[in-house]
Amino acid sequence: MTALVVGDLELELRRSERRRSPEITVERDGRLTLAAPAAASPEALTRFVEAKRFRIYQQLAAREALPPAPPPRRFVDGAGFPYLGRSYRLLLVPDQDVPVKLTRGRFRMRRADAERRGVGAAAETAEAHMIRWYSAHARPWLAARVERYAGRIRVTPGGLTVRELGYRWGSCGKGGRLYFHWKTILLPPRLIEYLVVHELVHLREPHHGPMFWQRVERVIPDWAERREALRDLGRRIW
């Protein structure tokens, strides 16, 4: 079973041997996911969802009140692109040694790459070049923060990967590997650090119960403020 339907609610079902109790998440696009223990029966999960139905409707209503997603990025002179919470203007140049670089306070991109539409097997769009730049710079920045906080939380991650994660900022995989969305590097550092601590604590507490948030608070006392800022900014950043 990969989905659970309860009345008018459809939830993507994700089972885990590590999980001790079920948990419902309303994703940023309004999708519902149900993380559940591997042995939980469909009947038990249905009862759990029914008990949470009113809360789910509240969260879905809150998602509807969010501002619309921003329009697609335009790769033209003067367009602003975020990086670590700051906006940098784009400058199109005739030629340079790499498709994208950040130098002297400007993102610089080859004009030919900015105008390419991705036609043909080898052609790449301007967005693909930009995402590759973000991903390459996100990994060492995140790795340094993971190393900084892992000791305080007393965990040993099994590695770190930066990639497209859809509507999730981060996740923990098999063997304690941490996954972060490439968009993470667009955020202000204090919000990225909240995400890093969040995922590291999941290596000890797989669910969002009281003990999870207590462990987060020991490292980041203002975690609730940062989480709220992330919810506000996250949908508008790209």
Side-chain angles (χ1 to χ4, degrees), residues 135-148:
S135 300
H137 286 75
R139 196 186 187 291
W141 200 97
L142 287 163
R145 271 62 187 181
V146 166
E147 183 178 1
R148 175 190 300 176

Side-chain angles (χ1 to χ4, degrees), residues 36-51:
S41 69
E43 293 77 18
L45 294 177
T46 296
R47 289 194 297 271
F48 176 78
V49 173
E50 288 175 340

Side-chain angles (χ1 to χ4, degrees), residues 1-237:
M1 178 189 293
T2 59
L4 180 70
V5 178
V6 180
D8 59 345
L9 300 175
E10 181 173 350
L11 303 93
E12 179 185 345
L13 185 57
R14 299 174 181 171
R15 292 184 179 273
S16 171
E17 296 286 350
R18 296 175 61 239
R19 179 164 287 279
R20 298 189 293 272
S21 60
E23 180 182 17
I24 298 168
T25 301
V26 181
E27 305 291 355
R28 285 184 291 162
D29 64 344
R31 290 182 299 112
L32 302 174
T33 59
L34 174 59
S41 69
E43 293 77 18
L45 294 177
T46 296
R47 289 194 297 271
F48 176 78
V49 173
E50 288 175 340
K52 302 291 185 180
R53 183 188 292 268
F54 180 69
R55 179 59 178 161
I56 294 171
Y57 288 144
Q58 285 183 317
Q59 291 182 317
L60 288 172
R63 289 291 185 274
E64 289 296 321
L66 289 173
R73 289 277 174 179
R74 297 180 63 225
F75 291 83
V76 296
D77 274 317
F81 287 84
Y83 175 57
L84 289 174
R86 295 181 57 191
S87 181
Y88 296 87
R89 297 295 178 184
L90 179 66
L91 177 65
L92 301 183
V93 298
D95 195 25
Q96 61 185 15
D97 55 338
V98 292
V100 180
K101 64 171 64 175
L102 177 59
T103 180
R104 297 196 293 274
R106 299 286 292 268
F107 273 117
R108 296 168 188 264
M109 176 179 285
R110 292 188 296 225
R111 186 174 297 276
D113 291 319
E115 295 173 350
R116 188 167 290 136
R117 296 293 179 264
V119 178
E124 289 191 280
T125 63
E127 184 173 43
H129 285 302
M130 202 72 183
I131 290 173
R132 182 175 292 110
W133 188 94
Y134 280 133
S135 300
H137 286 75
R139 196 186 187 291
W141 200 97
L142 287 163
R145 271 62 187 181
V146 166
E147 183 178 1
R148 175 190 300 176
Y149 289 109
R152 294 175 62 180
I153 300 170
R154 298 181 182 179
V155 294
T156 303
L160 186 152
T161 297
V162 176
R163 69 183 189 188
E164 171 67 47
L165 289 178
Y167 288 91
R168 299 179 71 85
W169 286 112
S171 66
C172 298
K174 188 175 181 180
R177 189 166 194 85
L178 302 179
Y179 295 88
F180 291 97
H181 200 301
W182 63 264
K183 291 182 182 180
T184 301
I185 201 64
L186 312 184
L187 299 166
R190 65 189 299 269
L191 302 188
I192 307 176
E193 289 172 349
Y194 161 72
L195 291 169
V196 168
V197 170
H198 187 113
E199 296 307 327
L200 285 171
V201 172
H202 269 314
L203 297 180
R204 296 189 62 133
E205 301 288 339
H207 59 289
H208 289 113
M211 183 56 70
F212 173 87
W213 295 113
Q214 287 175 26
R215 291 188 186 278
V216 171
E217 188 167 11
R218 288 172 194 167
V219 183
I220 301 180
D222 64 342
W223 64 268
E225 178 187 331
R226 299 194 198 196
R227 182 178 65 174
E228 209 50 45
L230 178 63
R231 287 174 174 173
D232 178 60
L233 178 62
R235 185 176 173 85
R236 299 182 282 107
I237 201 163

